[in-house]
Structures are given as C-alpha cells and as structure tokens.
Amino acid sequence: MKNPITHTADMDLWGHNFTQQLDLATQNMGHDVSERLRIARVRALESRPAPIRLMRYRTALQTNGSLTGHGDEGLNLWRILASALPLVALVMGLILVQAIQQELTESDIASIDSALLLDDLPPDAYTDPGFLQFLKVQLVQPSRND
C-alpha cells in the first residue's frame, strides 16, 4: 500500500499528463465539442477538494503518522486521570478481594473456636497423643455396630 502523500502526488502527476494528452487530442475537434470539454473540466476542478483541506490532511499525517488528530492535543490533567482510572479500579478490586478473604478466614477461625469451646472435652484433650487413639477407636466402633 502506498503512502497517502506520495499517492496524492502520483495522482496529480497522472492528472497533468492526462490533461496534456486530452489537449493534444482536442486540437483538431470543432469549437462546439472543445467548449463542452472545457466546461466539463471546469466542473471537475470545482468538485476537487480545496488545497487547504489537503494541506491539513498532509500536516496531520506527517505530525503523528495517523489521521486521528493534529498532534497538538498534549497530555492534560483529564487524560492523565483517565489513564490512571483502570489502575485505581484494579487496586481497589484487589483490596476488596483481600478484605473479603480476611473476613472469611476470621469467620472460619471463629466457628472452629466456638466448636471447641462448646464441646464436652477440654481443649487440652486435643493435644493429648492418647486422645488421637481414642478418636480412631470411636470412629471404628460405630461402623462395627452397623
């Protein structure tokens, strides 16, 4: 794909060559036909975009390599805030997830503590090595009764 700037220059060169060929071919035609061709050329040139528009297009293209703007937009406060907004949202989301996880962990620990405190056995029994054997026997005995 050609660069639009050189493409426009190529089209202008082609247009000039084409008009020279037409001028040579119309020299032998009658006045009536040549007058109609002249009017058609004038109308074609009137429909052509103004050179000022082309200059703006070329300037915008040369400034930043795209047709998105003139390059003088700069980095103002609103652009900085708009670019930082996704980062702030991400950090706030991570903080929210961490707070929810912390609360879930605390509620799990609280339910275990309340189960230990409401149980018939004292908490020291859970650290006793013989108690582990007692629990294993209790788990095996109900299955033998079935």
Side-chain angles (χ1 to χ4, degrees):
M1 183 173 168
K2 288 188 172 184
N3 188 353
I5 294 173
T6 59
H7 182 65
T8 306
D10 289 343
M11 286 182 63
D12 286 341
L13 182 63
W14 180 81
H16 288 293
N17 289 337
F18 189 68
T19 54
Q20 287 174 358
Q21 294 294 326
L22 284 176
D23 286 339
L24 289 175
T26 58
Q27 286 178 354
N28 297 333
M29 292 187 176
H31 176 70
D32 192 28
V33 175
S34 63
E35 188 62 26
R36 282 188 285 166
L37 288 174
R38 186 188 65 77
I39 292 172
R41 286 183 194 158
V42 169
R43 286 183 183 167
L45 287 175
E46 287 173 355
S47 67
R48 183 176 181 202
I52 295 171
R53 291 181 192 163
L54 288 176
M55 284 300 283
R56 287 182 185 166
Y57 168 75
R58 288 179 182 162
T59 306
L61 187 64
Q62 290 170 353
T63 303
N64 60 2
S66 69
L67 296 176
T68 57
H70 292 289
D72 61 349
E73 296 167 357
L75 195 63
N76 58 17
L77 178 65
W78 291 111
R79 287 185 182 271
I80 293 171
L81 291 176
S83 0
L85 187 64
L87 181 63
V88 170
L90 177 67
V91 170
M92 294 299 289
L94 289 174
I95 290 171
L96 180 67
V97 167
Q98 195 269 338
I100 291 172
Q101 288 291 336
Q102 182 70 26
E103 188 165 326
L104 288 175
T105 303
E106 288 174 359
S107 78
D108 287 345
I109 290 173
S111 66
I112 291 172
D113 287 346
S114 66
L116 282 174
L117 292 173
L118 293 176
D119 198 10
D120 294 337
L121 296 173
D124 292 336
Y126 291 101
T127 60
D128 186 18
F131 183 68
L132 183 61
Q133 185 64 29
F134 171 76
L135 286 177
K136 286 181 183 176
V137 170
Q138 290 294 329
L139 290 174
V140 173
Q141 283 180 357
S143 63
R144 286 185 185 171
N145 293 336
D146 289 338

PDB file of all heavy atoms in Angstrom, residues 98-114:
ATOM      1  N   GLN A  98      -9.105  -8.928  49.036  1.00  0.00           N
ATOM      2  CA  GLN A  98      -8.304  -9.268  50.211  1.00  0.00           C
ATOM      3  C   GLN A  98      -9.121  -9.102  51.478  1.00  0.00           C
ATOM      4  O   GLN A  98      -9.037  -9.922  52.400  1.00  0.00           O
ATOM      5  CB  GLN A  98      -7.048  -8.384  50.240  1.00  0.00           C
ATOM      6  CG  GLN A  98      -5.963  -8.854  51.182  1.00  0.00           C
ATOM      7  CD  GLN A  98      -6.090  -8.246  52.569  1.00  0.00           C
ATOM      8  OE1 GLN A  98      -6.705  -7.204  52.750  1.00  0.00           O
ATOM      9  NE2 GLN A  98      -5.512  -8.906  53.530  1.00  0.00           N
ATOM     10  N   ALA A  99      -9.947  -8.055  51.560  1.00  0.00           N
ATOM     11  CA  ALA A  99     -10.770  -7.836  52.749  1.00  0.00           C
ATOM     12  C   ALA A  99     -11.816  -8.937  52.902  1.00  0.00           C
ATOM     13  O   ALA A  99     -12.058  -9.429  54.015  1.00  0.00           O
ATOM     14  CB  ALA A  99     -11.449  -6.464  52.673  1.00  0.00           C
ATOM     15  N   ILE A 100     -12.413  -9.360  51.787  1.00  0.00           N
ATOM     16  CA  ILE A 100     -13.400 -10.446  51.853  1.00  0.00           C
ATOM     17  C   ILE A 100     -12.740 -11.752  52.288  1.00  0.00           C
ATOM     18  O   ILE A 100     -13.279 -12.490  53.121  1.00  0.00           O
ATOM     19  CB  ILE A 100     -14.109 -10.597  50.492  1.00  0.00           C
ATOM     20  CG1 ILE A 100     -15.000  -9.385  50.236  1.00  0.00           C
ATOM     21  CG2 ILE A 100     -14.917 -11.879  50.416  1.00  0.00           C
ATOM     22  CD1 ILE A 100     -15.586  -9.342  48.842  1.00  0.00           C
ATOM     23  N   GLN A 101     -11.562 -12.055  51.741  1.00  0.00           N
ATOM     24  CA  GLN A 101     -10.842 -13.270  52.134  1.00  0.00           C
ATOM     25  C   GLN A 101     -10.473 -13.233  53.617  1.00  0.00           C
ATOM     26  O   GLN A 101     -10.570 -14.243  54.317  1.00  0.00           O
ATOM     27  CB  GLN A 101      -9.563 -13.420  51.285  1.00  0.00           C
ATOM     28  CG  GLN A 101      -9.810 -13.812  49.861  1.00  0.00           C
ATOM     29  CD  GLN A 101     -10.335 -15.230  49.749  1.00  0.00           C
ATOM     30  OE1 GLN A 101     -10.129 -16.068  50.610  1.00  0.00           O
ATOM     31  NE2 GLN A 101     -11.043 -15.489  48.659  1.00  0.00           N
ATOM     32  N   GLN A 102     -10.049 -12.074  54.094  1.00  0.00           N
ATOM     33  CA  GLN A 102      -9.696 -11.935  55.505  1.00  0.00           C
ATOM     34  C   GLN A 102     -10.909 -12.194  56.395  1.00  0.00           C
ATOM     35  O   GLN A 102     -10.817 -12.890  57.416  1.00  0.00           O
ATOM     36  CB  GLN A 102      -9.131 -10.525  55.770  1.00  0.00           C
ATOM     37  CG  GLN A 102      -8.692 -10.279  57.181  1.00  0.00           C
ATOM     38  CD  GLN A 102      -7.441 -11.052  57.532  1.00  0.00           C
ATOM     39  OE1 GLN A 102      -6.647 -11.387  56.668  1.00  0.00           O
ATOM     40  NE2 GLN A 102      -7.280 -11.349  58.799  1.00  0.00           N
ATOM     41  N   GLU A 103     -12.063 -11.655  56.005  1.00  0.00           N
ATOM     42  CA  GLU A 103     -13.270 -11.849  56.803  1.00  0.00           C
ATOM     43  C   GLU A 103     -13.715 -13.308  56.793  1.00  0.00           C
ATOM     44  O   GLU A 103     -14.144 -13.846  57.831  1.00  0.00           O
ATOM     45  CB  GLU A 103     -14.394 -10.955  56.280  1.00  0.00           C
ATOM     46  CG  GLU A 103     -15.600 -10.975  57.192  1.00  0.00           C
ATOM     47  CD  GLU A 103     -16.553  -9.850  56.891  1.00  0.00           C
ATOM     48  OE1 GLU A 103     -16.086  -8.766  56.514  1.00  0.00           O
ATOM     49  OE2 GLU A 103     -17.751 -10.074  57.061  1.00  0.00           O
ATOM     50  N   LEU A 104     -13.601 -13.974  55.636  1.00  0.00           N
ATOM     51  CA  LEU A 104     -13.954 -15.397  55.567  1.00  0.00           C
ATOM     52  C   LEU A 104     -13.034 -16.239  56.448  1.00  0.00           C
ATOM     53  O   LEU A 104     -13.481 -17.166  57.135  1.00  0.00           O
ATOM     54  CB  LEU A 104     -13.905 -15.897  54.122  1.00  0.00           C
ATOM     55  CG  LEU A 104     -15.023 -15.413  53.209  1.00  0.00           C
ATOM     56  CD1 LEU A 104     -14.785 -15.887  51.787  1.00  0.00           C
ATOM     57  CD2 LEU A 104     -16.363 -15.926  53.721  1.00  0.00           C
ATOM     58  N   THR A 105     -11.747 -15.922  56.438  1.00  0.00           N
ATOM     59  CA  THR A 105     -10.796 -16.647  57.273  1.00  0.00           C
ATOM     60  C   THR A 105     -11.115 -16.434  58.752  1.00  0.00           C
ATOM     61  O   THR A 105     -11.098 -17.389  59.550  1.00  0.00           O
ATOM     62  CB  THR A 105      -9.359 -16.178  56.968  1.00  0.00           C
ATOM     63  OG1 THR A 105      -9.099 -16.358  55.584  1.00  0.00           O
ATOM     64  CG2 THR A 105      -8.335 -16.944  57.778  1.00  0.00           C
ATOM     65  N   GLU A 106     -11.416 -15.201  59.124  1.00  0.00           N
ATOM     66  CA  GLU A 106     -11.752 -14.918  60.521  1.00  0.00           C
ATOM     67  C   GLU A 106     -13.025 -15.635  60.945  1.00  0.00           C
ATOM     68  O   GLU A 106     -13.117 -16.139  62.071  1.00  0.00           O
ATOM     69  CB  GLU A 106     -11.901 -13.410  60.728  1.00  0.00           C
ATOM     70  CG  GLU A 106     -10.580 -12.663  60.679  1.00  0.00           C
ATOM     71  CD  GLU A 106     -10.762 -11.161  60.736  1.00  0.00           C
ATOM     72  OE1 GLU A 106     -11.928 -10.697  60.788  1.00  0.00           O
ATOM     73  OE2 GLU A 106      -9.753 -10.457  60.724  1.00  0.00           O
ATOM     74  N   SER A 107     -14.014 -15.702  60.052  1.00  0.00           N
ATOM     75  CA  SER A 107     -15.255 -16.394  60.423  1.00  0.00           C
ATOM     76  C   SER A 107     -15.032 -17.897  60.547  1.00  0.00           C
ATOM     77  O   SER A 107     -15.634 -18.551  61.408  1.00  0.00           O
ATOM     78  CB  SER A 107     -16.365 -16.084  59.428  1.00  0.00           C
ATOM     79  OG  SER A 107     -16.206 -16.834  58.248  1.00  0.00           O
ATOM     80  N   ASP A 108     -14.147 -18.464  59.712  1.00  0.00           N
ATOM     81  CA  ASP A 108     -13.823 -19.891  59.844  1.00  0.00           C
ATOM     82  C   ASP A 108     -13.120 -20.171  61.175  1.00  0.00           C
ATOM     83  O   ASP A 108     -13.436 -21.147  61.862  1.00  0.00           O
ATOM     84  CB  ASP A 108     -12.934 -20.346  58.691  1.00  0.00           C
ATOM     85  CG  ASP A 108     -13.671 -20.461  57.376  1.00  0.00           C
ATOM     86  OD1 ASP A 108     -14.922 -20.470  57.403  1.00  0.00           O
ATOM     87  OD2 ASP A 108     -12.996 -20.540  56.325  1.00  0.00           O
ATOM     88  N   ILE A 109     -12.186 -19.313  61.530  1.00  0.00           N
ATOM     89  CA  ILE A 109     -11.467 -19.496  62.809  1.00  0.00           C
ATOM     90  C   ILE A 109     -12.444 -19.340  63.979  1.00  0.00           C
ATOM     91  O   ILE A 109     -12.375 -20.104  64.956  1.00  0.00           O
ATOM     92  CB  ILE A 109     -10.296 -18.489  62.905  1.00  0.00           C
ATOM     93  CG1 ILE A 109      -9.212 -18.866  61.896  1.00  0.00           C
ATOM     94  CG2 ILE A 109      -9.723 -18.448  64.308  1.00  0.00           C
ATOM     95  CD1 ILE A 109      -8.095 -17.860  61.779  1.00  0.00           C
ATOM     96  N   ALA A 110     -13.354 -18.380  63.871  1.00  0.00           N
ATOM     97  CA  ALA A 110     -14.329 -18.182  64.944  1.00  0.00           C
ATOM     98  C   ALA A 110     -15.259 -19.385  65.086  1.00  0.00           C
ATOM     99  O   ALA A 110     -15.590 -19.786  66.207  1.00  0.00           O
ATOM    100  CB  ALA A 110     -15.143 -16.922  64.675  1.00  0.00           C
ATOM    101  N   SER A 111     -15.661 -19.990  63.974  1.00  0.00           N
ATOM    102  CA  SER A 111     -16.538 -21.164  64.070  1.00  0.00           C
ATOM    103  C   SER A 111     -15.793 -22.357  64.672  1.00  0.00           C
ATOM    104  O   SER A 111     -16.368 -23.123  65.454  1.00  0.00           O
ATOM    105  CB  SER A 111     -17.110 -21.522  62.700  1.00  0.00           C
ATOM    106  OG  SER A 111     -16.083 -21.948  61.833  1.00  0.00           O
ATOM    107  N   ILE A 112     -14.508 -22.511  64.354  1.00  0.00           N
ATOM    108  CA  ILE A 112     -13.721 -23.591  64.956  1.00  0.00           C
ATOM    109  C   ILE A 112     -13.553 -23.343  66.447  1.00  0.00           C
ATOM    110  O   ILE A 112     -13.696 -24.265  67.273  1.00  0.00           O
ATOM    111  CB  ILE A 112     -12.349 -23.725  64.255  1.00  0.00           C
ATOM    112  CG1 ILE A 112     -12.544 -24.260  62.835  1.00  0.00           C
ATOM    113  CG2 ILE A 112     -11.407 -24.619  65.040  1.00  0.00           C
ATOM    114  CD1 ILE A 112     -11.288 -24.249  62.005  1.00  0.00           C
ATOM    115  N   ASP A 113     -13.253 -22.097  66.826  1.00  0.00           N
ATOM    116  CA  ASP A 113     -13.107 -21.768  68.243  1.00  0.00           C
ATOM    117  C   ASP A 113     -14.405 -21.995  69.010  1.00  0.00           C
ATOM    118  O   ASP A 113     -14.397 -22.543  70.125  1.00  0.00           O
ATOM    119  CB  ASP A 113     -12.663 -20.313  68.414  1.00  0.00           C
ATOM    120  CG  ASP A 113     -11.210 -20.098  68.042  1.00  0.00           C
ATOM    121  OD1 ASP A 113     -10.475 -21.113  67.910  1.00  0.00           O
ATOM    122  OD2 ASP A 113     -10.813 -18.929  67.878  1.00  0.00           O
ATOM    123  N   SER A 114     -15.510 -21.606  68.436  1.00  0.00           N
ATOM    124  CA  SER A 114     -16.789 -21.810  69.136  1.00  0.00           C
ATOM    125  C   SER A 114     -17.109 -23.296  69.237  1.00  0.00           C
ATOM    126  O   SER A 114     -17.666 -23.746  70.248  1.00  0.00           O
ATOM    127  CB  SER A 114     -17.912 -21.059  68.441  1.00  0.00           C
ATOM    128  OG  SER A 114     -18.148 -21.594  67.158  1.00  0.00           O
TER     129      SER A 114
END
